[in-house]
Amino acid sequence: MTEHSEQEISLRLAGEGDVDALVGFNRAMARETEAKELSVDVLTAGVGALIRNPSYGFYVVAEAPGASGAEDEIVGSLLITYEWSDWRNALFWWIQSVYVREDFRRRGVYRRLYAFVKERAAAEGNVCGFRLYVEKQNLVAQQTYQRLGMAETYYKMFEELSEGSDD
């Protein structure tokens, strides 16, 4: 394993060529956090639909140089979706599908992704905040979010899936 400095990590918006990597990350995250096996076909369609429809949101990817000078490889990603707040006349950006490859964890990759998103939101000018949900047992992630300035809210989340939707 090659050690990469934080400066070697580059960030960019994801595009069509990143769908396979994002699908792989989503599947890995579902396995790790919920012991679920997600459908490759459904995920591929869902990730592709979002990338082709920026009104749904956008993915940000973190890349590091490949081994022995090989092409850069994606080592982390997150998804932003939008929620309109009539109370604030602005958007909340929801952070979802956060994944950092295991060999790149605890190296500031998520911190860099979050900083990229915050800078982009500031440039947009109509973003009032950031929200995310996290597994109750994922204390490491919760500590990371708190260190970056996020605070736990007093809201609980409820949902009802439409008939035919996977849980």
Side-chain angles (χ1 to χ4, degrees):
M1 173 177 74
T2 305
E3 289 291 322
H4 294 282
S5 71
E6 200 173 305
Q7 291 75 29
E8 291 178 299
I9 303 292
S10 60
L11 300 150
R12 64 175 175 80
L13 297 179
E16 287 279 347
D18 302 315
V19 170
D20 289 343
L22 294 168
V23 167
F25 283 1
N26 276 295
R27 293 188 80 222
M29 179 190 52
R31 266 188 238 109
E32 287 180 29
T33 60
E34 299 180 41
K36 287 186 179 183
E37 283 298 325
L38 300 179
S39 162
V40 171
D41 293 340
V42 172
L43 272 174
T44 301
V47 170
L50 183 127
I51 287 175
R52 287 186 301 278
N53 295 286
S55 64
Y56 294 170
F58 60 91
Y59 279 97
V60 179
V61 295
E63 293 181 309
S68 303
E71 187 175 313
D72 285 358
E73 53 191 18
I74 298 174
V75 299
S77 65
L78 62 74
L79 166 65
I80 295 295
T81 59
Y82 312 116
E83 174 192 354
W84 179 251
S85 173
D86 52 352
W87 287 12
R88 294 170 180 88
N89 190 32
L91 291 168
F92 275 102
W93 280 8
W94 276 86
I95 300 169
Q96 301 183 69
S97 300
V98 174
Y99 190 79
V100 175
R101 252 179 33 191
E102 194 169 353
D103 55 330
F104 278 83
R105 292 180 188 165
R106 314 288 301 161
R107 295 191 193 183
V109 173
Y110 175 75
R111 184 178 52 73
R112 295 275 311 276
L113 287 162
Y114 186 49
F116 181 93
V117 164
K118 288 176 72 173
E119 288 172 19
R120 188 169 172 89
E124 295 275 330
N126 66 341
V127 179
C128 60
F130 308 93
R131 290 180 169 164
L132 57 77
Y133 50 88
V134 60
E135 292 288 323
K136 293 175 186 176
Q137 296 80 13
N138 193 342
L139 300 179
V140 171
Q142 291 173 40
Q143 291 168 351
T144 297
Y145 302 142
Q146 289 171 341
R147 272 195 306 274
L148 293 174
M150 298 186 93
E152 184 176 351
T153 69
Y154 54 86
Y155 293 106
K156 286 189 178 207
M157 185 174 213
F158 290 80
E159 75 176 1
E160 179 181 359
L161 297 176
S162 299
E163 193 171 317
S165 294
D166 289 334
D167 57 344

